[in-house]
Amino acid sequence: MHEPRPAGPAAATNPAPPAGPRLRAEAITLTQGGRRLLDGVDLDLAGGGITMVLGPNGAGKSLLLKVLHGLIAPDTGRVLWDGRPAGQATRRRQAMVFQRPVLLRRSAAANIDFVLRARGRRDRARRDALLAHVGLDAHASRPARRLSGGEQQRLALARALATGPELLFLDEPTASLDPASVLRIEQVVAAARADDTGVVFVTHDVGQARRLADDIVFLHRGRVVEHAPAARFFDAPASAAARDFLAGRIVV
Amino acid sequence: MISRLFSSAAAAAALTLAAGVATAQDDDSIIVQSTTSTANSGLYDHLLPIFEGATGIEVHVVAVGTGQAIRNARNCDGDVLLVHARPAERRFVADGMGVERFDLMYNDFVIVGPEADPAGIGGMEDAQEALAAIAGAEAVFASRGDDSGTHKTEMALWADTGIDPAAHSGAWYRETGSGMGATLNAGVGMGAYVMTDRATWTSFANKGDFGILVEGDADLHNQYGVILVNPEACPSVNAEDGRAFIDWLLSPAGQAAIAAHEVDSRQLFFPNAR
Amino acid sequence: MQDFADAFARAVTLVISGDADLIEIVALSLRVSLTATLLACALGLPIGALLAIARFPGRGAVTVVINALMGLPPVVVGLVVYLHLSRAGPLGFLGLLYTPAAMIIAQTVLITPIVAALSRQVLEDLHAEYAEQFRSLCLSRRAAVGALLWDGRYSLLTVALAGFGRAVAEVGAVMVVGGNIDHLTRVMTTAIALETSRGELALALALGIVLMVIALGVNALVHGVHQSAARRAHA
Ligand SMILES: Nc1ncnc2c1ncn2[C@@H]1O[C@H](COP(=O)(O)OP(=O)(O)OP(=O)(O)O)[C@@H](O)[C@H]1O
Ligand SMILES: [Mg+2]
C-alpha cells in the first residue's frame, strides 16, 4: 500500500494465527421487546482477511458486530475468540468503529492521544503517523467534532488502529463519503489486512464488497443466510434472499 | 480517580481548616456575644478602637438578639456577654455560666409610631396606658417576637395591662421574629407602632414619618449588663482578656468613652457602673 | 424610587473611592465563596460522576436525596454547622466558629449538593453518548470519569458557577457561623443585612449593586475563558 503503516506492536508480536476459526459464534440469539433481533447465528471466521457483512437495513448487522466485539451479551449462545469467550479481555485486542462514531470533544490529535494513553502509551510520532495515514495530518489540531463527516469517519478509523488491534470491526465506515474518501479508507483497510489484522466490515456498497472482501456474510432478519468466499457469493449466491439483494430487489 | 478526588478534597479541606485555625481567636482576641442595639447604633465602632489601642486586645463582636446571645454563650461560643435582660442575665450567672454580672450603662425604650397616630398615644407618659390604647384601637403594633431583651421588656409591659397580645397575633399584633432594625423597617413599612430602644431608634436611618410618641416612663428603663463567661464552665474562654475588657468598660475611662458616643449630637448610652 | 437613584450614586461613590472596608469585605466574600466552590467541586464532581456512571443499589434514592438537598435553606445549613463547630459541639475543639473557615465549611455544605446534582445530570448525558465507545476501548472507570470530566468541562464550569452564585448570595449560613464580625467575618451579604437593619437602605442597596457587579464580573470572566477556549478545542 502507499501509506506507511505506523509501527505497532501488533504486527511485530502477533503469533501466527492458530489453525481453525479464530472467531467463532455459536447459536447466538438476541431478543428485545419480544422481537428476535439475532436468530441462531453460527459463524466461523478465520484469523486474517476481510469479512464483509451485507444485508438490508435492520437485518441485525450492527447488533451482530457488537455481540462479536463483546459489547452486547447474547441471550443464548456464545462468542469465542481463540477459544476464549468474548469480553473485556478479548476486546482489549480488538477495535471497533461504530456506525455513528463518537469522537471526544477535543482536537483530532487529542482523540488519538486519548486512546494511546488508555493503553499506557504516550507516542506523538505514532499519533502523527496515524493521522497522516488517514490523510488528516493537516487537521491535527482542529476540534474533532468540527471535522466534516468524512474526516470524522477517517479519524475514527485512525483511532481504532491506534491500539494495534488484531481484529477490527468496521460498521459502515464509508457511508456517505465522497469517492476519494472511500478510496482512502479502503486503502487503509487493505493496509491493515496486509498487516495481518482481521477485519469485519459492514457495508451496503456491493462494489466495495467486491473490491475488498475475502469472504461475505449475508445477514437477513437476524439470520446468517449465507457465508461464502467472495468470489462464490457474487458469482453464484446460494440463497434466494442474497440473489434478490444483489439484484436490488430485496424487501425487508 | 474517584477516591483520588476525594482524598484531594479532604486534603484541601484540611488545609482550609488549618488556615482557619490559624486565624481563629486563640491569641489576643475575645468574642463578645452582644445584643444588636449596641452594635447597630455604632457604640462598638466608637469604643473598640480606644480599647484595642490601649491594650492590643482584639474584640470580635457577634451581634444577635439578647436571647440568642445568651444561648450562644451557654454553648461557650463567646468570652463576654453584653446584653439587656436582667432576669435572664442573673439566671445565666446563677447557673454557673457567668462569673459575675455588672451594671454597665442604661438608656430607655420608647414607643415610636406614624405621624397619624391612629391610637392617639402621642405624649402619653405611661407605657402600659399607651399599649392598652393601641390594643383598644386595634392599631397595628409590630413586636420583635424574638426573645430579645426588648421583647422581654415589652411582654412584661403587656402583662401589666392584662391584655394578651398573642391572642391577636396576625391581626393587629404582628410578631416579626427578627431584630430591632428589621422590626423597625417592617413597622415603618406597615405604619405599625413599635417599641424600640432609643439608641437603635436614634441611629436608625429609615424613619419615614415616624417619631417618638411615648417616652419617659420609669418602666421603660433599659439596663445593660456585662458578664464574663465562666472559664470553669467553658475552658475555651479567654478569661484574662475578657476580664481586661470588662474592667476597662467599668473603669472611669471606659465609662467616659461610653458617655462620649453620640449620634446626631445625642448621647445614646448612659454609663452607670458602680 | 429615589432610594434607587441614591443607591446607585452611593454604589458608584463607594467603588470609586476605593473604600478600604468595602475592599476588605469584597475580598473576604470572594475568598470564602470561591474556596467553598472549589471544595464543593472537589467533593461534588466525583459524587456526580459516580452517580452518573456507576450502577449500585440505592443509586436512585441517593440521586433523589441529593436533588432535594439542592433546596437546603442556608439558615438550616448554618445552624447545623454551628451546632457542630460550637464549643459545645463535637468539633468545638477546633475553635473554628466565627472564622472564615467556618463560613467556607457552611457554604461548602450548602452548595456541594448543587454541584453533585447538576454535574450528575451533565455527566450522565455525556456518558450515555460515550459509554459504548468507552467499553469498546476497555477504559478503566477512572479513565472514563476523567474523560467525562474533561469533555464536560464547559458545562461543569456552568455548574460550578451555579454553586458560586448561590454561595456568594446567601446570608443565612454565613451570618450564623461567621457572626458578621467586623474586619473578621463580615462579607457582602451580612454587611447588606446589617445596613438594612440599621435602616440604611440606600447603602444596603448600594452594597447589593456592588455584589451583583462582582457576580457579573466573575461570570463574564468565566464566559470569556470559555469562549476563547471553546473556539480552540471544543465543538
Ligand atoms: N437496543 C435495541 N432495542 C430494540 N431493538 C433494537 C435495538 N437495537 C437495534 N434494534 C433493532 O434491531 C434491528 C437490527 O438493528 P441493527 O442496528 O443491527 O440493523 P442493521 O442491520 O445494522 O441496519 P442498518 O443497515 O440500517 O444499519 C432493527 O430492527 C433495530 O430496530
Ligand atoms: Mg447498522
Side-chain angles (χ1 to χ4, degrees):
Chain A
M1 269 295 122
H2 318 290
E3 305 301 327
R5 169 84 152 96
T13 59
N14 242 1
R22 213 174 162 202
L23 182 66
R24 183 187 188 104
E26 293 173 354
I28 304 290
T29 61
L30 187 65
T31 309
Q32 236 153 49
R35 278 182 65 210
R36 175 82 26 127
L37 304 176
L38 291 176
D39 191 3
V41 171
D42 290 303
L43 206 57
D44 283 339
L45 298 183
I50 299 177
T51 301
M52 302 290 271
V53 181
L54 296 177
N57 290 141
K61 303 181 296 296
S62 296
L63 285 176
L64 177 61
L65 252 59
K66 288 175 188 175
V67 170
L68 294 178
H69 190 32
L71 289 176
I72 298 179
D75 296 330
T76 65
R78 57 181 186 162
V79 175
L80 298 173
W81 197 44
D82 288 346
R84 267 181 296 163
Q88 176 108 352
T90 63
R91 212 157 53 223
R92 275 189 87 78
R93 297 189 286 137
Q94 307 171 345
M96 178 157 176
V97 173
F98 291 91
Q99 191 164 357
R100 260 169 264 129
V102 180
L103 297 173
L104 299 181
R105 291 164 168 76
R106 18 187 126 179
S107 71
N111 266 270
I112 311 263
D113 287 340
F114 176 73
V115 176
L116 289 173
R117 234 185 3 257
R119 289 290 188 279
R121 278 191 301 195
R122 225 173 268 264
D123 189 343
R124 309 182 65 157
R126 179 171 169 77
R127 173 247 281 168
D128 293 339
L130 282 161
L131 285 171
H133 189 47
V134 297
L136 287 178
D137 33 348
H139 300 304
S141 58
R142 287 186 54 204
R145 296 193 164 222
R146 298 254 177 86
L147 297 174
S148 78
E151 289 161 351
Q152 292 199 21
Q153 297 267 32
R154 271 143 61 195
L155 179 58
L157 183 56
R159 186 175 65 178
L161 289 170
T163 56
E166 296 166 47
L167 181 58
L168 191 56
F169 294 102
L170 305 175
D171 196 348
E172 301 192 34
T174 60
S176 78
L177 297 193
D178 69 46
S181 300
V182 170
L183 187 64
R184 187 67 175 233
I185 285 190
E186 288 182 4
Q187 287 170 346
V188 171
V189 171
R193 175 183 185 275
D195 262 347
D196 275 340
T197 303
V199 179
V200 180
F201 189 132
V202 176
T203 188
H204 288 293
D205 180 343
V206 176
Q208 182 174 56
R210 281 185 199 275
R211 286 195 294 279
L212 290 179
D214 291 301
D215 57 336
I216 301 283
V217 170
F218 183 71
L219 206 62
H220 186 36
R221 292 186 179 153
R223 290 170 180 275
V224 175
V225 176
E226 200 162 339
H227 179 197
R232 199 175 81 207
F233 179 81
F234 290 114
D235 293 346
S239 62
R243 270 196 300 279
D244 287 350
F245 180 79
L246 289 172
R249 284 198 306 264
I250 199 143
V251 244
V252 188
Chain B
M1 173 88 208
I2 288 168
S3 60
R4 162 91 74 78
L5 278 183
F6 269 119
S7 57
S8 68
L15 274 179
T16 318
L17 293 190
V21 172
T23 61
Q25 58 296 326
D26 43 10
D27 34 291
D28 279 352
S29 70
I30 55 169
I31 289 180
V32 176
Q33 288 286 351
S34 167
T35 172
T36 49
S37 51
T38 43
N40 281 4
S41 58
L43 177 65
Y44 294 116
D45 297 338
H46 171 74
L47 292 184
L48 297 187
I50 303 175
F51 173 71
E52 290 174 1
T55 63
I57 299 171
E58 245 183 85
V59 180
H60 300 309
V61 177
V62 177
V64 286
T66 289
Q68 185 66 46
I70 292 177
R71 267 192 298 280
N72 288 349
R74 278 186 188 275
N75 286 336
C76 303
D77 294 325
D79 306 295
V80 170
L81 186 62
L82 200 165
V83 291
H84 61 144
R86 235 177 307 193
E89 293 162 43
R90 295 217 171 94
R91 220 173 304 126
F92 184 79
V93 173
D95 291 347
M97 293 305 302
V99 176
E100 192 184 351
R101 178 194 174 281
F102 299 98
D103 276 339
L104 176 65
M105 61 193 184
Y106 71 91
N107 62 7
D108 60 342
F109 294 107
V110 296
I111 298 176
V112 299
E115 208 174 1
D117 190 12
I121 63 169
M124 284 186 182
E125 281 173 5
D126 185 293
Q128 288 88 338
E129 189 189 324
L131 289 182
I134 290 169
E138 302 203 337
V140 186
F141 182 95
S143 165
R144 294 277 293 269
D146 67 346
D147 195 29
S148 58
T150 306
H151 183 235
K152 289 178 209 273
T153 305
E154 181 208 317
M155 294 322 288
L157 293 175
W158 281 115
D160 292 345
T161 65
I163 299 164
D164 176 18
H168 308 278
S169 185
W172 58 266
Y173 188 71
R174 314 263 167 91
E175 292 172 280
T176 65
S178 13
M180 195 70 256
T183 304
L184 281 172
N185 277 324
V188 170
M190 58 192 179
Y193 294 103
V194 182
M195 193 183 106
T196 169
D197 64 280
R198 191 187 292 271
T200 301
W201 174 252
T202 304
S203 53
F204 186 68
N206 183 34
K207 292 193 177 83
D209 71 345
F210 271 45
I212 294 176
L213 299 177
V214 178
E215 59 187 325
D217 187 333
D219 289 341
L220 290 175
H221 182 75
N222 181 23
Q223 178 66 46
Y224 291 85
V226 62
I227 304 173
L228 178 68
V229 179
N230 193 343
E232 278 166 30
C234 298
S236 60
V237 163
N238 181 349
E240 190 187 331
D241 294 336
R243 189 167 285 123
F245 182 55
I246 292 175
D247 288 348
W248 179 80
L249 285 174
L250 302 176
S251 74
Q255 295 277 293
I258 290 173
H261 175 51
E262 290 185 344
V263 170
D264 294 339
S265 356
R266 294 194 54 173
Q267 182 179 344
L268 297 185
F269 298 95
F270 299 86
N272 65 343
R274 273 159 291 177
Chain C
M1 288 311 94
Q2 153 217 340
D3 271 346
F4 279 104
D6 192 11
F8 271 109
R10 292 181 80 156
V12 170
T13 318
L14 267 176
V15 171
I16 290 176
S17 70
D19 184 273
D21 282 353
L22 179 73
I23 291 170
E24 187 184 352
I25 290 173
V26 168
L28 185 63
S29 282
L30 288 175
R31 189 182 127 208
V32 166
S33 296
L34 286 174
T35 310
T37 305
L38 282 181
L39 289 176
C41 286
L43 292 166
L45 291 179
I47 295 173
L50 192 73
L51 289 173
I53 72 170
R55 295 288 173 270
F56 55 89
R59 176 178 164 273
V62 174
T63 303
V64 168
V65 168
I66 288 189
N67 284 346
L69 288 180
M70 283 201 287
L72 268 181
V75 183
V76 173
V77 172
L79 220 52
V80 170
V81 173
Y82 168 80
L83 290 175
H84 281 85
L85 296 185
S86 165
R87 288 283 175 183
L91 301 176
F93 66 92
L94 293 173
L96 288 182
L97 193 67
Y98 305 134
T99 66
M103 301 157 81
I104 290 170
I105 291 170
Q107 291 194 342
T108 302
V109 171
L110 182 72
I111 65 173
T112 295
I114 296 180
V115 173
L118 296 183
S119 65
R120 179 200 62 82
Q121 190 60 56
V122 165
L123 296 174
E124 199 166 287
D125 292 347
L126 204 56
H127 186 245
E129 192 187 337
Y130 286 180
E132 207 165 45
Q133 181 70 58
F134 283 177
R135 287 219 300 138
S136 170
L137 291 171
C138 293
L139 277 199
S140 66
R141 175 168 289 179
R142 185 184 147 172
V145 169
L148 289 177
L149 291 177
W150 181 250
D151 274 31
R153 59 197 179 279
Y154 297 117
S155 309
L156 294 176
L157 208 54
T158 308
V159 168
L161 279 181
F164 171 75
R166 175 135 160 107
V168 81
E170 71 86 23
V171 59
V174 283
M175 185 67 99
V176 176
V177 303
N180 189 26
I181 297 171
D182 204 6
H183 302 304
L184 182 64
T185 58
R186 183 160 300 164
V187 290
M188 292 299 288
T189 52
T190 57
I192 291 170
L194 177 65
E195 294 310 333
T196 304
S197 74
R198 278 178 170 163
E200 298 280 3
L201 302 191
L203 181 54
L205 208 53
L207 290 171
I209 292 167
V210 173
L211 178 62
M212 270 175 53
V213 168
I214 289 165
L216 208 66
V218 169
N219 276 274
L221 193 74
V222 170
H223 184 73
V225 170
H226 175 175
Q227 286 300 95
S228 62
R231 229 171 282 126
R232 270 183 270 117
H234 206 251

